[in-house]
Amino acid sequence: MSASSFLEALKAEGLTVVETGDWREHNRNHKGPWGPVHGVMIHHTVTRGSAATVEICRTGHEDLPGPLCHGVITKDGRVHLVGYGRTNHAGLGDDDVLRAVIAEKAPPPDNEAGVDGNRYFYGFECENLGDGDDPWPAAQLDAIERAAAAVCRHHGWSERSVIGHLEWQPGKVDPRGFTMTSMRERIRDRLK
């Protein structure tokens, strides 16, 4: 999917999309290939405040350069596009999980980290402290559902192509505050 097709797919799913800076060309492609892409990964940011969250995800931080995802989903349900192509969001993960995503089967427990997920997944960072107490507003959950469904619809994937970072990389807990099982059910219903 081209950057333009990505934007069109998100808008067609009824999302409010904010284009941030040079998002179409902002990527980490010089560090390795982008694709073939097999799924969508959902994260939480451990940040507060939409403007600061979008800026961190666009530019990165001292330990990890941006972009840190393709889109940032803020608490108000808007999707801020910050990059397209290879982004620093997934890191190394479990090859068994990748095979399950490709086969559109339930992901097995992740117990190793040897496969470059930045190559294979679209990434959405979602504004949330990730402490289990920070609320997930209905508008934000709806936007996560719609964004993941938009990508799945474009590629002809089912909800099984959507995973959380916690299902990819041992030790990760995101997204925390809702289950990926419940989010996949929402995506499944939207794709019907």
Side-chain angles (χ1 to χ4, degrees):
M1 161 164 37
S2 69
S4 294
S5 296
F6 182 57
L7 175 62
E8 290 169 14
L10 294 171
K11 287 183 174 181
E13 207 65 45
L15 288 159
T16 300
V17 180
V18 179
E19 298 181 69
T20 306
D22 61 346
W23 73 271
R24 293 171 189 262
E25 290 82 37
H26 189 46
N27 57 56
R28 304 285 296 157
N29 290 357
H30 66 285
K31 291 293 185 180
W34 161 240
V37 185
H38 296 298
V40 178
M41 192 173 294
I42 307 299
H43 307 263
H44 66 233
T45 59
V46 193
T47 59
R48 174 178 281 148
S50 297
T53 297
V54 170
E55 184 60 18
I56 289 168
C57 290
R58 190 180 76 73
T59 62
H61 49 78
E62 186 177 304
D63 298 328
L64 192 64
L68 303 182
C69 60
H70 297 92
V72 181
I73 302 175
T74 50
K75 294 222 179 241
D76 60 7
R78 293 184 297 161
V79 179
H80 302 257
L81 299 181
V82 297
Y84 197 76
R86 183 184 179 88
T87 67
N88 279 337
H89 74 95
L92 296 176
D94 194 313
D95 60 337
D96 293 329
V97 174
L98 179 60
R99 281 192 287 279
V101 169
I102 292 169
E104 297 197 308
K105 297 185 182 221
D110 55 332
N111 61 6
E112 58 187 7
V115 175
D116 173 16
N118 295 329
R119 173 181 185 173
Y120 296 115
F121 290 94
Y122 295 91
F124 289 99
E125 286 280 358
C126 306
E127 177 191 357
N128 192 279
L129 293 176
D131 60 5
D133 293 323
D134 192 12
W136 290 90
Q140 188 178 31
L141 290 171
D142 182 67
I144 296 167
E145 170 193 325
R146 287 173 186 267
V151 175
C152 290
R153 194 180 307 283
H154 176 87
H155 286 285
W157 297 335
S158 78
E159 76 283 355
R160 293 283 187 196
S161 292
V162 182
I163 61 172
H165 201 192
L166 77 169
E167 295 172 303
W168 173 246
Q169 191 176 70
K172 295 296 183 181
V173 299
D174 55 317
R176 189 169 179 200
F178 65 88
T179 68
M180 285 307 302
T181 298
S182 66
M183 182 54 67
R184 278 190 287 269
E185 289 170 358
R186 291 175 65 141
I187 295 163
R188 179 199 63 214
D189 293 346
R190 176 162 293 280
L191 289 171
K192 285 183 182 175

